[in-house]
Amino acid sequence: MKFVGRKKWWLYRNAWPFCCASRLEAIGLANSKAAAAGVPVITTYETGLFDWEKGSGILVHPQVEQLEAALEQVFYWSDGER
């Protein structure tokens, strides 16, 4: 199913976190779109977004344990922390 336009932005804005666990990506375009929608983003160092944690989200290595810990952290955030 392909999400475009308004539906895509609705999904971004209504997500609690956005998680894109990429092993190799030149530019984190999906991550940037989610951040523009005001959603906390969990992504990997492999996206090239090395300063991402300065305000847009959490960086992890693409390993189950690290992704799980980041998701658990974000799910405990209040609306204000998001």
Side-chain angles (χ1 to χ4, degrees):
M1 177 180 283
K2 186 173 182 176
F3 297 106
V4 295
R6 290 183 186 177
K7 183 157 187 154
K8 176 175 65 174
W9 288 107
W10 183 90
L11 290 168
Y12 277 131
R13 284 191 303 274
N14 288 283
W16 190 260
F18 177 80
C19 184
C20 185
S22 180
R23 291 191 178 275
L24 176 64
E25 189 173 351
I27 298 174
L29 188 56
N31 297 312
S32 298
K33 288 179 180 181
V39 177
V41 175
I42 300 168
T43 192
T44 59
Y45 290 100
E46 287 73 9
T47 59
L49 301 169
F50 300 108
D51 62 348
W52 198 246
E53 291 179 301
K54 292 183 180 177
S56 299
I58 299 173
L59 282 170
V60 297
H61 291 286
Q63 299 168 349
V64 172
E65 297 81 12
Q66 290 191 24
L67 290 165
E68 181 180 23
L71 284 166
E72 187 172 320
Q73 178 183 346
V74 172
F75 284 133
Y76 283 104
W77 289 352
S78 68
D79 287 335
E81 290 171 312
R82 288 182 62 240

